[in-house]
Amino acid sequence: MAKGVELEQMDLLALYVLYAPRFVHSSNLRASVIQSPPPKCCLFPHAVLESVQDIHTMNLRHATLADLDHCLELDASFDTERVWQLDLRPGRDAISSQLRATGLPRQLRVDYPLPHDTLLMHWQRGYCIIVAEIPDTGQLTGFVDVGPEPDLQVGWIWNLVVDRSQRRQGVGTALLAAAASWCKDHQLRRLMVPLQIQNDPGIRFCQRQSFTFCGFNDRYYQSGAVAIFLCRHLR
């Protein structure tokens, strides 16, 4: 069992994420008419990818409309041997919680809830959607979808997906670095990410990238599953 993470007193940001708004469904990707112009395509500078060893095997650029369907075709499933449990102890003068990882009797494959109803809406609103592609073939290997919350200076990572066949090659790290760079350019000071409690690989990836636990919502997903929220301060 992993060492628990304790939160004795939630700050304003943590309290906010308990009630983070959900997006309404948009129409089908192929049936929608785009009123706003597509974002400009540009490669991110290598300075953004300093932590990635094999930067010459991928291009990062802003997504076009044509990319969205390809993003939704990626295999986003993951395997896990642990789930995270949240013990909440509310009191009159304090709220105490503990987040801990618990081993499963056998490995579990989990389907990631791809954003079929929201990705187009995010693109139309001008959110930061960055794709990673193989230069020689143009094949998409992953994408990150970040929505700004200017009033709180927060960038919400709604999706960070790497195709199952392309993992452990630095793609996720590169996408996250590009998203962080975009947030800094837009005067955002924090990155926030909601994650399923079953997504142990995603939680541990975020921990390695300096994210820390800051809140939860016990009815966040449409299925009624619990989401935890991780935060990273940008410098």
Side-chain angles (χ1 to χ4, degrees), residues 29 68 134 192 212:
L29 280 178
L68 302 187
I134 299 174
M192 294 283 296
T212 57

Side-chain angles (χ1 to χ4, degrees), residues 20-152:
R22 304 176 194 174
F23 291 109
V24 297
H25 293 304
S26 65
S27 53
N28 183 270
L29 280 178
R30 297 183 183 278
S32 297
V33 177
I34 299 300
Q35 301 296 336
S36 57
K40 296 179 180 179
C41 296
C42 63
L43 298 181
F44 283 80
H46 284 183
V48 172
L49 308 178
E50 291 177 352
S51 60
V52 183
Q53 295 180 352
D54 201 10
I55 59 176
H56 298 292
T57 64
M58 75 178 84
N59 285 338
L60 298 183
R61 59 175 176 80
H62 287 289
T64 66
L65 176 61
D67 293 323
L68 302 187
D69 282 324
H70 296 295
C71 290
L72 297 175
E73 293 170 355
L74 298 174
D75 183 356
S77 64
F78 58 89
D79 296 327
T80 182
E81 297 177 349
R82 290 170 294 269
V83 296
W84 288 75
Q85 294 182 336
L86 181 67
D87 294 330
L88 182 65
R89 300 179 182 88
R92 181 176 179 179
D93 299 317
I95 299 176
S96 176
S97 64
Q98 185 181 59
L99 184 67
R100 65 179 187 273
T102 303
L104 295 171
R106 62 181 182 277
Q107 189 178 74
L108 177 68
R109 177 163 294 188
V110 181
D111 290 328
Y112 177 85
L114 282 167
H116 291 277
D117 295 326
T118 56
L119 191 60
L120 174 63
M121 181 174 64
H122 293 181
W123 186 87
Q124 289 176 312
R125 289 180 175 180
Y127 285 13
C128 174
I129 302 178
I130 301 168
V131 297
E133 66 178 0
I134 299 174
D136 295 339
T137 64
Q139 175 189 351
L140 294 191
T141 59
F143 73 96
V144 63
D145 171 18
V146 182
E149 189 82 26
D151 292 346
L152 294 177

